[in-house]
Amino acid sequence: MVDVSELVAQAREGRPRAVARLISLVEGASPQLREVMAALAPLTGGAYVVGLTGSPGVGKSTSTSALVTAYRRAGRRVGVLAVDPSSPFSGGALLGDRVRMSEHASDPGVYIRSMATRGHLGGLAWAAPQAIRVLDAAGCEVILVETVGVGQSEVEIASQADTSVVLLAPGMGDGIQAAKAGILEIGDVYVVNKADRDGADATARELNHMLGLGESRAPGDWRPPIVKTGAARGEGTDEVVQALEKHRAWMEEHGALSTRRTRRAAREVETIAVTSLRERIADLRGDVRLDALAGRVAAGALDPYTAADELVAGVTAPGA
């Protein structure tokens, strides 16, 4: 057992080992997780969460590192959650702490953590919302969350970030990907990276065209900008930061930021509740109540929906 209050106090002082320990408690679903979250709750709400997603090879890690450099130049404390695929053996992150971000490893104003998806779909680790809370409470003013980037399912970041950045690159079929992967709905800022390559202008034009076709925005609604960058050379990064700040200002002006954060909290609460309920139902396997209901369904005496209602009522009743 750890002293949670002491650990939180150390994290507030910016001690990286304390932050690491708290995130490890989150990832490991520690029995003290409830105590940790209760201690962190009054300390959160100050961080600006930026999500970055896109297909493999578009330069997410390089772009994230460039953004870290830009925010640090402005004196901001930055946290990075780099979500990686899971090792099939250990369950840990395959890529570890990103090599492309190693230049920031010795900066006390930057905290970088790789997290494993552990089979969780949507490009994020299941513990990402709680890890974001840890970094927020630890004083990070900007938190960059980089998704795993495994194909077309990395849209969950839109539900976890204040602002979602979608990266594309020329010559990778990303024009087609943009149309069919749902990213036209999740992007608040679009970045065409590797802009020195042939086809960058065409990719930006095609994306702009598709955004125009797909949008059903009222006057005054936010229209996602398209920014061309060369992240490896640090080109265009300041323009991306400006676009992010404009989106944040627009959300604050229209009340969208608090609405988005409330929805995020609602999803987090719902996920925790559903997980708890699922665990309680899983404990019933082999239980006489479940076996009895299953037998009646198999015999045609009861439909599965009514049986499910009875099961849920049973596990949620007081004293169940």
Side-chain angles (χ1 to χ4, degrees):
M1 300 289 283
V2 300
D3 186 336
V4 171
S5 59
E6 178 63 23
L7 209 56
V8 170
Q10 292 178 4
R12 292 287 289 173
E13 294 172 2
R15 299 188 188 182
R17 287 190 177 183
V19 177
R21 188 71 185 278
L22 286 171
I23 294 180
S24 293
L25 291 175
V26 167
E27 285 193 288
S30 166
Q32 293 182 276
L33 183 54
R34 290 176 181 271
E35 184 183 355
V36 169
M37 289 299 112
L40 295 179
L43 306 174
T44 59
Y48 177 47
V49 183
V50 178
L52 296 97
T53 190
S55 303
V58 297
K60 291 190 297 296
S61 293
T62 306
S63 297
T64 300
S65 181
L67 283 173
V68 171
T69 299
Y71 279 120
R72 288 299 294 145
R73 196 162 52 234
R76 306 271 192 95
R77 289 191 66 191
V78 183
V80 179
L81 288 181
V83 184
D84 287 323
S86 300
S87 164
F89 303 104
S90 67
L94 280 178
L95 302 183
D97 289 332
R98 301 295 177 99
V99 174
R100 294 182 184 89
M101 299 184 210
S102 59
E103 62 186 280
H104 304 293
S106 60
D107 185 344
V110 179
Y111 182 86
I112 301 172
R113 174 72 173 231
S114 285
M115 298 184 70
T117 58
R118 302 191 181 185
H120 186 77
L121 297 178
L124 285 182
W126 74 271
Q130 287 78 35
I132 289 171
R133 287 179 179 276
V134 172
L135 293 179
D136 188 355
C140 292
E141 298 165 88
V142 179
I143 300 173
L144 304 176
V145 184
E146 179 192 336
T147 70
V148 66
V150 292
Q152 296 181 21
S153 64
E154 302 82 34
V155 296
E156 190 179 340
I157 188 60
S159 68
Q160 299 297 338
D162 296 326
T163 298
S164 296
V165 178
V166 176
L167 287 98
L168 303 96
M172 300 185 65
D174 275 342
I176 298 174
Q177 294 294 329
K180 69 181 182 180
I183 64 172
L184 292 178
E185 288 78 27
I186 70 165
D188 298 308
V189 175
Y190 288 87
V191 173
V192 178
N193 191 31
K194 305 181 182 181
D196 57 326
R197 289 186 177 181
D198 293 337
D201 291 339
T203 299
R205 284 196 304 270
E206 187 176 359
L207 177 59
N208 187 56
H209 176 66
M210 286 188 291
L211 285 171
L213 288 176
E215 68 182 5
S216 55
R217 298 181 177 87
D221 283 355
W222 175 258
R223 191 182 195 285
I226 301 170
V227 183
K228 290 188 290 185
T229 65
R233 301 179 305 281
E235 297 173 0
T237 305
D238 289 340
E239 287 76 6
V240 175
V241 172
Q242 290 172 13
L244 294 174
E245 292 302 319
K246 285 181 180 178
H247 183 241
R248 183 179 187 176
W250 179 88
M251 287 194 296
E252 290 175 341
E253 179 183 350
H254 292 80
L257 184 59
S258 61
T259 299
R260 187 171 287 201
R261 290 179 174 179
T262 300
R263 288 176 181 170
R264 188 161 78 214
R267 277 186 289 266
E268 187 177 0
V269 171
E270 180 183 357
T271 298
I272 293 170
V274 170
T275 300
S276 177
L277 183 59
R278 185 182 296 120
E279 289 173 350
R280 294 178 68 177
I281 291 177
D283 290 341
L284 290 178
R285 288 175 183 166
D287 186 282
V288 292
R289 288 175 293 176
L290 180 56
D291 287 345
L293 288 169
R296 293 171 64 192
V297 171
L302 189 67
D303 70 273
Y305 286 92
T306 301
D309 288 341
E310 289 188 26
L311 181 62
V312 170
V315 298
T316 56

